[in-house]
Amino acid sequence: MRLRALLDTDALGLKLLGGEDELDRTVRGVMTTDLRDPSRYLSGGELVLTGLAWRRDAADSEPFVRILVQSGVSALAAGEAELGDVPEDLVLACARHRLPLFAVNESVAFATITEHVVRQVSGERAGDLAAVVDRHRRMMTSGPAGGGPDVVLDLLGSDLDLRAWLLSPAGRLIAGPKVGGPPLPPAVCAQLAAEHLAAGRTGRRGPHRVALGGTTYSLFPIRSSGRSPQAARDVRETVLSDWLLAVEADAGDWPEERLDLLQGVTQLIAVERDRRDAARTVRRRLAQEVLELVQTGAPPAEIAARLRVAAPVLLPGLGAAPHWQVVVARVEWDEAQGGPAAPATEGG
């Protein structure tokens, strides 16, 4: 993971004190120390956490920081619990050696930061994460009580520390995490969907990475579980139907194990998608029967009877006969632009 990703997680309680130009450094591990010389335990790429017990006076900061830099660490995070604010001499020493420095709020335990970093960067956890996905696969295949894609997104947040949203090709929010921050604004949903469609037309392989408002999203297509990416030769077969999984993270930093894991998650969602499509096919057939009755001039009593029978399937959960409104939409395909034009609608 990159250093800037640490600042995007409010629960870690980190405040940047210096090194803003170095936030693209990669973190490969984490170490907590209060030794004056921890070099023997460092191999490079670590985020070093310290409670500052090694510091007796201002002269101690320079040699401590020099040792960290010579050992190749990525950054230093100093706790505020012991001394209150991080000492100015440590801030200046880090600035001289271009070592990024974070302050850790006294309410946050170093163990919380350590666990977060390890979960993000450890490839050795691939087996544990695969078990998480397998557990959710069983939940998804247990029927409607499994909760559908909402449960998948909750799992991504609780087990993998990833916020994610499921979007339609037009940017409609299909599902999102129930906890873990504010909802994704409609304008961002629409822009992510547009970026995904644009990337798809270029033929680039996913996930596609998009930066919006200082936040990086990785976009994963959700294709039918029975169709390979090469199966649809005509873009119009998928451009208006494939869902999109938008993950608030930069997948460019991920190991292959984590990418494979997210591909497995997209397959889980695709299964749920196919289940919904099958139910939609049944609803369309019932709706077509009702429309045919209208078109052939069937008696109103017969149409009303058919609507009463179809209502629990067409509009489940309403409990009472709804007021019906029939809307017809047509999509005009623009061959010159290679994509759909604005839909024309008719209502009745």
Side-chain angles (χ1 to χ4, degrees):
M1 66 180 300
R2 298 189 189 277
L3 285 175
R4 66 176 66 256
L6 296 171
L7 295 173
D8 295 335
T9 307
D10 293 338
L12 298 184
L14 295 177
K15 180 174 62 176
L16 184 65
L17 299 181
E20 185 175 0
D21 295 337
E22 306 291 332
L23 291 180
D24 283 329
R25 291 188 183 186
T26 300
V27 179
R28 296 185 175 87
V30 62
M31 177 195 176
T32 300
T33 185
D34 276 314
L35 296 174
R36 297 171 67 86
D37 182 1
S39 58
R40 75 190 73 175
Y41 304 110
L42 297 170
S43 58
E46 294 93 351
L47 169 67
V48 174
L49 306 175
T50 181
L52 300 176
W54 50 266
R55 181 184 179 278
R56 297 185 178 90
D57 55 46
D60 291 334
S61 291
E62 175 68 22
F64 181 77
V65 171
R66 188 186 310 117
I67 288 170
L68 296 186
V69 172
Q70 291 171 350
S71 299
V73 306
S74 293
L76 174 65
E80 296 178 330
E82 185 71 19
L83 301 178
D85 294 336
V86 176
E88 184 66 18
D89 50 89
L90 181 59
V91 175
L92 294 175
C94 288
R96 280 193 296 271
H97 292 277
R98 301 182 63 85
L99 180 66
L101 175 63
F102 300 93
V104 183
N105 189 282
E106 61 181 356
S107 64
V108 178
F110 283 174
T112 300
I113 300 174
T114 300
E115 181 182 3
H116 176 84
V117 173
V118 169
R119 291 175 69 178
Q120 293 291 325
V121 305
S122 176
E124 297 177 355
R125 282 185 53 86
D128 295 338
L129 299 181
V132 167
V133 172
D134 183 66
R135 169 169 61 85
H136 195 269
R137 180 177 289 108
R138 294 194 298 270
M139 294 171 63
M140 286 285 287
T141 56
S142 63
D150 298 88
V151 183
V152 181
L153 302 183
D154 287 341
L155 175 139
L156 288 176
S158 62
D159 290 71
L160 305 183
D161 293 328
L162 293 173
R163 296 183 67 213
W165 299 265
L166 191 60
L167 308 177
S168 76
R172 177 177 60 86
L173 182 63
I174 297 171
K178 297 175 182 174
V179 295
L184 200 62
V188 175
C189 293
Q191 192 164 355
L192 289 176
E195 294 285 350
H196 178 68
L197 291 176
R201 286 195 292 270
T202 66
R204 301 200 311 269
R205 294 185 59 186
H208 310 300
R209 290 175 289 161
V210 177
L212 296 178
T215 301
T216 299
Y217 300 88
S218 296
L219 311 179
F220 295 81
I222 306 294
R223 296 188 173 92
S224 170
S225 59
R227 187 182 75 226
S228 68
Q230 293 79 22
R233 300 299 181 186
D234 192 336
V235 67
R236 69 185 79 182
E237 294 182 29
T238 60
V239 72
L240 296 178
S241 60
D242 280 350
W243 287 353
L244 160 67
L245 181 67
V247 181
E248 190 181 77
D250 187 347
D253 297 331
W254 290 357
E256 287 297 324
E257 294 87 351
R258 180 166 283 246
L259 284 172
D260 291 343
L261 201 67
L262 262 291
Q263 293 296 343
V265 170
T266 65
Q267 292 170 10
L268 289 180
I269 298 176
V271 171
E272 174 66 16
R273 160 76 183 278
D274 289 347
R275 181 185 301 173
R276 291 191 179 191
D277 285 347
R280 186 180 298 113
T281 298
V282 173
R283 292 196 297 269
R284 285 175 176 171
R285 186 165 59 247
L286 287 173
Q288 184 62 37
E289 292 175 358
V290 173
L291 291 175
E292 288 177 356
L293 288 176
V294 175
Q295 291 170 346
T296 58
E302 182 179 352
I303 298 174
R306 183 62 61 91
L307 286 174
R308 283 194 295 271
V309 172
V313 178
L314 295 176
L315 297 171
L318 287 184
H323 294 285
W324 294 91
Q325 182 179 32
V326 180
V327 178
V328 180
R330 181 180 71 254
V331 174
E332 300 287 352
W333 190 270
D334 189 336
E335 295 289 352
Q337 295 295 326
T345 61
E346 299 175 3

